[in-house]
């Protein structure tokens, strides 16, 4: 059992997810992190070095058994979950024109990016409702990591765009449904962030950013996204459920 608030952060082994986990650890959250592989991520040791507890669960969020295991182990280790951050996500293994892309790629991306968070949120939300009845003084929050791809066309990775558009609507749906219980649901929408996922197209975006694709002419960093999640975790946006926080250097302005 934990006296500190507890956060589940999916896909926290690197990049944005790791930065979010470390930010929450700095804010005093105990953590539960997962990955499909058996080896615990370095995130676990880094979080524990900040003085919090961090439980690693080998679980795939695309799989129903994995999602249930993640929740069950959180209950067993900490007995509470105050925050869920749905961060786990993948790009297509190979970028392909939508006239040629495969069902296999579509199914993989949608299972991890949308189906997994949707049903994990369902499980955790029901648990949060139970906790809120027992501890009405506590605050419970859910954060979905979206993307500018939810509204920006990229025909070479259509399945990714569709999955993130789904995450945006999922945020609205759960924000609406859970408001009566005092549970806030938020979307953080990153733009062009310097991670392993974008490393293959770094040259392309270096040029586009320099040419003014984003009003703020630099790559976003995982820490930029983590700070937005941290503000939510601190309760600074509790009256703003359903809000989309754009962390994109101004890309969403759609300027001419």
């Amino acid at each position: 059992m934990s006296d500190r608030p507890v956060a589940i952060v999916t896909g926290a082994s690197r990049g944005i997810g790791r930065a979010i986990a470390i930010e929450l650890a700095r804010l005093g959250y105990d953590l539960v992190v997962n990955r499909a592989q058996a080896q615990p991520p370095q995130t676990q040791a880094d979080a524990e070095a900040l003085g919090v507890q961090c439980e690693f669960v080998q679980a795939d969020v695309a799989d129903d058994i994995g999602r249930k295991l993640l929740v069950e182990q959180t209950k067993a280790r900490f007995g509470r979950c105050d925050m869920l951050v749905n961060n786990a996500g993948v790009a297509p293994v190979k970028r392909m024109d939508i006239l040629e892309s495969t069902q296999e790629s579509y199914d993989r991306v949608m299972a991890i990016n949308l189906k997994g968070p949707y049903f994990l949120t369902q499980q955790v939300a029901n648990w949060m409702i139970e906790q809120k009845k027992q501890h009405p003084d506590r605050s419970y929050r859910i954060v979905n990591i979206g993307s500018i791809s939810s509204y920006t066309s990229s025909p070479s990775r259509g399945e990714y765009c569709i999955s993130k558009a789904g995450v945006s609507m999922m945020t609205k749906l759960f924000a609406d449904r859970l408001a009566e219980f005092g549970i806030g649901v938020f979307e953080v929408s990153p733009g062009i962030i310097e991670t392993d996922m974008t490393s293959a197209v770094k040259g392309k975006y270096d040029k586009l950013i320099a040419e003014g694709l984003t009003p703020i002419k630099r790559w976003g960093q995982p820490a930029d996204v983590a700070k937005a999640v941290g503000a939510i975790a601190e309760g600074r946006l509790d009256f703003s459920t359903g809000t989309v926080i754009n962390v994109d250097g101004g890309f969403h302005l759609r300027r001419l």
Side-chain angles (χ1 to χ4, degrees):
M1 302 301 110
S2 177
D3 293 328
R4 288 187 289 259
V6 175
I8 297 173
V9 183
T10 67
S13 61
R14 59 184 183 177
I16 291 172
R18 180 190 178 281
I20 290 169
I22 297 304
E23 177 71 11
L24 293 178
R26 289 194 184 104
L27 293 175
Y29 276 74
D30 286 333
L31 299 171
V32 179
V33 300
N34 79 294
R35 69 191 302 186
Q37 297 81 13
Q39 181 68 26
Q42 181 62 35
T43 306
Q44 183 179 30
D46 293 342
E48 290 175 343
L50 293 170
V52 302
Q53 300 179 69
C54 184
E55 177 81 359
F56 166 65
V57 181
Q58 183 185 2
D60 183 351
V61 296
D63 177 65
D64 183 52
I65 294 174
R67 293 189 296 270
K68 288 178 179 176
L69 180 64
L70 186 56
V71 174
E72 287 169 1
Q73 289 200 213
T74 303
K75 289 180 178 180
R77 174 70 186 272
F78 296 115
R80 64 189 288 181
C81 178
D82 304 79
M83 187 168 191
L84 167 64
V85 182
N86 286 305
N87 167 77
V90 295
V93 172
K94 180 181 179 183
R95 293 189 177 211
M96 298 179 68
D97 188 285
I98 57 172
L99 299 179
E100 301 172 352
S101 59
T102 65
Q103 291 186 48
E104 290 78 13
S105 179
Y106 181 93
D107 289 345
R108 170 181 171 269
V109 170
M110 293 295 282
I112 296 171
N113 293 9
L114 183 56
K115 179 183 176 181
Y118 186 91
F119 286 104
L120 179 59
T121 298
Q122 182 187 74
Q123 288 184 53
V124 173
N126 279 302
W127 182 22
M128 285 180 170
I129 291 169
E130 294 175 7
Q131 292 178 85
K132 190 69 174 177
K133 292 174 182 176
Q134 298 170 354
H135 303 282
D137 56 317
R138 292 181 183 174
S139 298
Y140 299 93
R141 307 174 182 99
I142 297 169
V143 179
N144 299 319
I145 304 302
S147 171
I148 57 173
S149 292
S150 68
Y151 60 84
T152 306
S153 174
S154 297
S156 64
R157 53 190 190 118
E159 58 271 69
Y160 183 80
C161 295
I162 292 170
S163 72
K164 289 302 184 178
V167 167
S168 290
M169 177 50 71
M170 169 186 145
T171 301
K172 294 177 175 67
L173 291 166
F174 278 106
D176 183 7
R177 185 66 183 88
L178 298 177
E180 67 177 278
F181 303 104
I183 299 169
V185 186
F186 310 85
E187 178 186 349
V188 174
S189 180
I192 303 163
I193 308 297
E194 195 167 16
T195 66
D196 291 348
M197 188 181 289
T198 55
S199 61
V201 290
K202 187 175 188 306
K204 171 186 174 181
Y205 284 109
D206 280 344
K207 183 173 184 294
L208 289 172
I209 291 169
E211 292 173 349
L213 177 66
T214 56
I216 299 176
K217 293 185 178 181
R218 70 165 174 86
W219 279 82
Q221 297 299 318
D224 293 316
V225 183
K227 288 174 185 176
V229 177
I232 295 169
E234 289 183 305
R236 297 178 183 273
L237 295 169
D238 280 351
F239 196 57
S240 302
T241 191
T243 291
V244 180
I245 303 175
N246 295 291
V247 185
D248 60 7
F251 178 89
H252 67 281
L253 296 174
R254 298 178 173 92
R255 64 179 186 170
L256 290 173

